Amino acid sequence: MATIAFIGLGNMGGPMLANLIKAGHGAHAFDLSENALVRAEAAGATRAASVAAAAGAADVVVTMLPAGQHVRAVYMDEATGIIGAARPGALLIDCSTIDVDSARAVAGAATDAGLRMVDAPVSGGVGGAEAGTLTFMVGGPDDAVEAARPILDCMGKAVVHAGGPGTGQAAKICNNMMLGIQMVSVCEAFMLAKRLGLDAQKLFDVSSKASGQCWSLTTYCPVPGPVPTSPANRDYQAGFAAAMMLKDLKLAQQAAASSGAATPMGSMAESLYALFCNQGDAGALDFSGIIRMIDGQS
């Protein structure tokens, strides 16, 4: 069993840490939130006084942070960062969803310091984090990915090695761009069906077995009824918040601009989610809640 430092204990990081502890790993936890630290201690972690203190006490460092700027600061700050504080030979695993350029910059700095690092963003939402059924898209050298795999297996059901540094992030933003586009298309189809007098269950029965089938329809149907476990049946309480979808769509558009890729549907999905998230507290709703805007609801 490894000694793990876990930094970033929010809605995803907290339950991921709990699953590592359940698997028998020792854990040092750090977060800026006192409530998050209290929950981590209740799960069995030792509270660390700082990022550097947590990293210096561990064989493996796992991070789950909001954005690229936070990842760069937490890893690369000369005085307080993980790279400067980590033990020789430590393994670094960043599970944040960030821009590819930041992921590669931090990985390069870790390599220069003689440390192994992988970018390992996740798919599966809060429910997957709690259940330990996340999918990890992992970028990094073969040896680092294989070293990270037993740790990731404690938190998820699938670990996919996407390629070299940054490719985990690339896989995540490409996947979520598809997801955002597909959800909008499913919402539009149900709202068209509504206006044509076609029952939502009947459309689901047809499309779930026909060429319109996709995850946004069969697992996360945005209208109440056809999929009882979807957020539509609990007033769009977030499993994956609309604000997080918007973040990922923005990352996809940044990557498209920097790489010269044409993503017109991705651009439109970003614009629609931006409009939705600007409606009061809509960003806190599940991303499937965009059907309300498409339906003309305020």
Side-chain angles (χ1 to χ4, degrees):
M1 294 292 104
T3 301
I4 297 172
F6 206 112
I7 297 158
L9 306 171
N11 292 335
M12 295 292 292
M16 290 167 67
L17 169 64
N19 283 326
L20 289 170
I21 294 170
K22 288 176 186 176
H25 296 292
H28 297 268
F30 181 78
D31 194 278
L32 296 177
S33 165
E34 174 65 20
N35 289 338
L37 287 169
V38 169
R39 289 192 295 270
E41 287 180 309
T46 299
R47 178 191 296 236
S50 66
V51 168
D59 308 306
V60 179
V61 180
V62 182
T63 51
M64 178 60 94
L65 301 166
Q69 67 203 56
H70 306 104
V71 172
R72 285 178 183 262
V74 166
Y75 276 93
M76 299 172 68
D77 186 279
E78 292 185 4
T80 63
I82 291 169
I83 290 173
R87 293 175 176 178
L91 173 64
L92 313 180
I93 303 173
D94 181 38
C95 294
S96 317
T97 296
I98 63 172
D99 60 286
V100 174
D101 290 343
S102 289
R104 288 176 173 161
V106 174
T111 299
D112 291 345
L115 304 171
R116 296 170 296 169
M117 184 170 188
V118 298
D119 51 286
V122 307
S123 178
V126 175
E130 293 172 345
T133 57
L134 295 170
T135 294
F136 291 90
M137 294 146 276
V138 189
D142 292 350
D143 62 332
V145 174
E146 290 311 305
R149 192 177 294 274
I151 305 298
L152 300 176
D153 282 341
C154 296
M155 301 181 285
K157 65 178 181 180
V159 177
V160 179
H161 186 185
T167 57
Q169 300 295 346
K172 172 66 183 287
I173 62 175
C174 289
N175 178 79
N176 278 20
M177 183 179 72
M178 286 189 278
L179 176 61
I181 294 167
Q182 289 162 0
M183 180 56 76
V184 170
S185 75
V186 172
C187 291
E188 289 186 351
F190 273 103
M191 292 304 93
L192 175 60
K194 175 182 176 180
R195 285 154 177 80
L196 294 175
L198 174 62
D199 180 73
Q201 183 65 54
K202 296 300 183 183
L203 176 60
F204 179 87
D205 292 344
V206 170
S207 294
S208 63
K209 299 176 180 65
S211 55
Q213 191 278 331
C214 63
W215 188 91
S216 292
L217 173 68
T218 56
T219 300
Y220 229 68
C221 186
V223 297
V227 178
T229 56
S230 76
N233 295 288
R234 54 177 190 269
D235 200 28
Y236 301 99
Q237 179 182 341
F240 181 48
M244 298 305 294
M245 172 55 78
L246 177 58
K247 170 195 168 185
D248 290 355
L249 289 168
K250 287 181 179 293
L251 288 173
Q253 288 309 294
Q254 291 170 13
S258 65
S259 65
T263 55
M265 296 299 293
S267 177
M268 181 60 71
E270 181 203 355
S271 296
L272 290 170
Y273 272 97
L275 286 171
F276 180 57
C277 289
N278 283 331
Q279 296 181 355
D281 297 327
L285 296 175
D286 189 81
F287 82 105
S288 60
I290 197 170
I291 196 168
R292 292 180 170 177
M293 184 182 79
I294 293 171
D295 191 29
Q297 302 177 37
S298 58

